[in-house]
């Protein structure tokens, strides 16, 4: 009897297992969700790095990037071509695609084709270079070389310097637009108002970031008569000229013997003084009364 009960139980167990197997085979298989493939973000081709000069722009390997004051930003050309050893000492920096992270903005970068055929990456129109004697990441050995070469800083420059053979080294804004002095101003006070200000807009930067050639203490802020603010250098208010349509232009130099590019010495040139108009000469009328000389 016990053997028979055991056989019945085993048979029931087998039937239950077969039925469960049939139920499982008839139910559709639920697919296991798979995670989407992870695509790595492209590595930055221009970076912000720490240096002895503060935060600066570097290439992907941490090598410092520089600008050249003889260049004219936005001109599409480099002044470091055709000059002995310049291109060797200051190799042009170029990347096919500019990839940056905040706070850098890819819109601030572009590319030019130099006269020697090389591509070169630009920042605000300024061609970018490396320096041959920088051998390790963070080196800034090219800073202020010949008073012509400077690192690119972050936060970005609000005042920069440019240079021409005729005018020497003078102040510009970040994009390379020339800044001017007005000879009729006095220290800390602007004499340019009304129509004058329409032709010579005031320059103002809420904070000054400048190349190491310049002293931050030489910059200040002027409160104009209308309550607006204006930046100054060595006490002289700074202006743009409405006739300069782009970077590198210096059409305001010498206008009405009163305006000059904002040279880094803080001094004005000696303007030619018009010759004074001679006072009219009156020839006395001689009246003769005749006889005896009376």
């Amino acid at each position: 009897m016990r053997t028979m009960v055991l056989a019945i139980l085993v048979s029931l167990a087998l039937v239950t297992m077969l039925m469960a197997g049939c139920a499982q085979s008839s139910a559709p298989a639920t697919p296991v969700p798979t995670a989407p493939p992870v695509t790595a973000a492209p590595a930055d081709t221009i970076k912000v790095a720490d240096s002895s000069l503060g935060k600066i722009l570097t290439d992907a390997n941490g090598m410092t990037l520089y600008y050249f004051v003889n260049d004219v930003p936005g001109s599409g050309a480099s002044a470091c071509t055709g000059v002995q050893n310049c291109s060797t000492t200051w190799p042009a920096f170029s990347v096919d695609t500019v990839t940056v992270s905040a706070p850098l903005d890819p819109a601030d970068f572009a590319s030019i084709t130099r006269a020697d055929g090389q591509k070169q990456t630009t920042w605000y129109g300024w061609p970018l270079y490396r320096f041959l004697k920088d051998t390790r990441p963070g080196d800034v050995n090219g800073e202020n070389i010949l008073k012509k070469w400077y690192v690119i800083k972050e936060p970005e420059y609000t005042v920069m310097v440019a240079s021409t053979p005729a005018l020497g080294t003078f102040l510009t804004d970040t994009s390379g637009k020339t800044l001017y002095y007005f000879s009729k101003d006095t220290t800390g006070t602007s004499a340019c108002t009304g129509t004058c200000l329409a032709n010579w807009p005031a320059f103002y930067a809420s904070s000054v970031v400048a190349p190491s050639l310049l002293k931050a203490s030489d910059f200040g802020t002027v409160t104009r008569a209308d309550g607006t603010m204006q930046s100054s250098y060595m006490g002289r208010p700074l202006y743009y000229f409405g006739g300069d349509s782009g970077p590198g232009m210096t059409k305001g130099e010498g206008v009405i013997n009163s305006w000059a590019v904002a040279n880094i010495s803080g001094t004005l040139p000696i303007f030619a003084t018009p010759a004074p108009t001679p006072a009219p000469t009156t020839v006395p009328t001689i009246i003769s009364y005749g006889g005896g000389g009376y």
Side-chain angles (χ1 to χ4, degrees), residues 4-72:
M4 183 179 295
V5 171
L6 182 60
I8 292 171
L9 290 174
V10 170
S11 298
L12 289 173
L14 289 173
V15 170
T16 301
M17 291 176 63
L18 288 172
M19 290 178 65
C22 291
Q24 288 180 2
S25 63
S26 61
T30 303
V32 177
T34 56
V38 177
T39 303
D44 286 350
T45 52
I46 298 175
K47 298 180 177 181
V48 176
D50 291 317
S51 76
S52 59
L53 297 173
K55 292 188 179 297
I56 60 172
L57 267 59
T58 73
D59 66 10
N61 298 315
M63 303 305 291
T64 303
L65 300 177
Y66 297 84
Y67 91 96
F68 184 31
V69 303
N70 286 11
D71 285 336
V72 176

Side-chain angles (χ1 to χ4, degrees), residues 2 11 46 69-70 74 128 145 157 173 228 236 238 271-272 288:
R2 181 180 298 173
S11 298
I46 298 175
V69 303
N70 286 11
L128 295 175
I145 291 287
Y157 290 123
D173 70 0
T228 60
R236 296 188 181 279
L238 296 170
F271 291 111
S288 175

